[in-house]
Amino acid sequence: MERRVVVSERSYPNLAVVTQVLNDDQGDFTVRREVKSSGCMSFQEHDDRTAPQFRNRKGRGSHKGRSYDRSRRDRQRGGHTAGFGGPGPRSRLDDIDADVTMSDSSQDNSSQHRFNPYGRPFRKGGEGRFDRDRRQGKGGGGGRGGGFRGGDRGGAGNGGGGRSRSGWFKVTIPHGRKYDKKWLLPALQNICTVPYTPVQYHVEHNRVHFYVDDSSAATALHKCSHKITDTDGYKVEVHVNPSAPPSFLITELKPEHLEHLRQCMAKRFDGSQQALDLNNIRTDPDLVSQNIEVILNRKTNMEAVIKIIEENIPELTGLNLSNNRIHKLDELTDLVSKAPNLKTLNLSHNELKSDRELDKIKGLKLVELWLNRNPLCDFFKDQASYISAVRQRFPRLLKLDGHDLPPPIGFDVETPTVIPPCKGSCFGSDEIKVLILRFLAQYYSIYDSGNRQPLLDAYHDGASLSLTTPYSTQNPSRSSLGEYHKDTRNLKRIKDTTVRFRLLKHTRLNVVAFINELPKTQHDIASFNVDVNTFTNTLLSFTVSGVFKEVAVDGKSRESTMAFSRVFVTVPAGNSGLCIVNDQLFIRMATTEEIRRAFVAPAPTPSSSPVPTLTAPQQEMLTAFSQKSGMNLEWSQKCLQDNEWDFNRAAQVFTQLKADGKIPDVAFIK
């Protein structure tokens, strides 16, 4: 066999690259590249029968782009440790100095290499970082629990089928920050089929998290997803994943450690100033000498500190927590009640990333606050917006990061104010009340019937109507509002003026034709709340809100309960009637509380003869009951019939229901 050797050499400042091309009589050739530096030499060979290798693929040289589809496919699949155009994903984790096979006979097993007796280590001191990481399970999924899956993801990498080897599960509520804890937890408890105890409830970014240690409770909570509707009409999502135990179970301070911590805090307390300096407490010599690790970004460690403050120095006025790597302020919420005299707080040189963390301690009556050297300070466009955001939480603040602030402007109200309960309907006068209630009773008796065509008489010739549903990024077809979503004129979603005009229904014929196309409904008259907005001799505008259900063709109502708010702008019609000139209808999903109260009192069934034939004593009792109660004959008869025509018992039930506000206004329209 004849072999020819061609040697070429290129000079570089610190090394020389020598390329030898070995050719045999069969047409195959091998390129051997030798790198010489500081007296050492490394040989690397590869078989170039597959394709020529261009080292600089991204625009350096005359060859750009990709060719040889087979090599590209193999590289994406990770089948070859190197290929045309550079190393594949797995080759980055392999020994850099190993030989690379490029022939068609190479196998998918990238761990097969030729022995290279002349290779030298990539770094001094033995193996490279990637090799070390791969062996320890840190590289691309090669080790147990390493990479992007498994490991610390709730134990799911080791346990199968959603099981948790630790027995703990982490429950996450996306966008849970906007919910009050006192509303969210009871709402979940009410619909969860398995009782449970939430552990370590906390808010992180926009999410709410807590833990449960029961697999059956975790399964039941998972089924609660999209079963609760919030006040904005959105479904509450519930995500459940296997998890490691909560951190406080692992990092609990021992009793003897607590005593050392108490002594350390006593040493750092300045009684003359009533100030406690916990700056960089994790490096305190007294604690370090006892091998006690106090890290205040751990829940249990911070809670231990606050408990010591509560038991020993509740009169504390100044607290320095700087240089403690604190990234959340959940545990500091207790300072509001356990250190009510706290006026000065130093949180500088920590890791607070959002000014929303300050909401957790805004109950403190601070006059001095340090936040400098926290990431949150970098998110404000200027100093004024920074000061404004902080002062929204602490209106009495006089110093921020050591700088004096202008004196605050506000009302010195010490007594906490309570928002009064929501009142019922507001009509303005009894005359308007009778007029509106009669109109609504007639309008919705037709609207909920099988034929809405008679509503033509309720609208003006030039009337207009618009329908709106809440703005949502989710797929409308999956929502119960899907039937209404296609016609919504929500100006936040609809930007095109032509589409806006098309969705506005003009003239009474178009209005009623559109209403006829909407799903059949059953409204809960008892849920109606009416507010008069404007009243003149020629115009009456009022808003009516309540709940309703959709009724299927067979007469059965759907599971979902919806809420509505409707603004009627009317003008006088006839002697005592109203004619609609503008109708704005807003429909959303009902909240959990609205669903609970809906359809409690069954509405009377409309009939052509409101007072059927009764015996003489019953007719006399009905008249007397109507006069004493003030209700019309239809509702008076219903009350007597429900109580088996026992006048006294019916009177007691009526008195109780009226006191509870459970009798709708339409019952008193005669």
Side-chain angles (χ1 to χ4, degrees), residues 605-613 634 637:
T605 304
S607 61
S608 58
S609 176
V611 184
T613 304
E634 185 175 2
Q637 179 181 337

Side-chain angles (χ1 to χ4, degrees), residues 284-324:
D284 188 280
D286 292 347
L287 297 176
V288 173
S289 64
Q290 299 293 328
N291 291 323
I292 300 174
E293 188 179 44
V294 176
I295 301 178
L296 294 187
N297 61 14
R298 292 179 179 172
K299 176 181 173 66
T300 50
N301 289 197
M302 182 65 83
E303 287 178 342
V305 167
I306 293 176
K307 186 176 181 181
I308 293 174
I309 292 174
E310 179 189 19
E311 294 175 350
N312 298 273
I313 44 176
E315 66 280 4
L316 188 70
T317 60
L319 179 60
N320 185 353
L321 295 173
S322 59
N323 287 291
N324 281 294

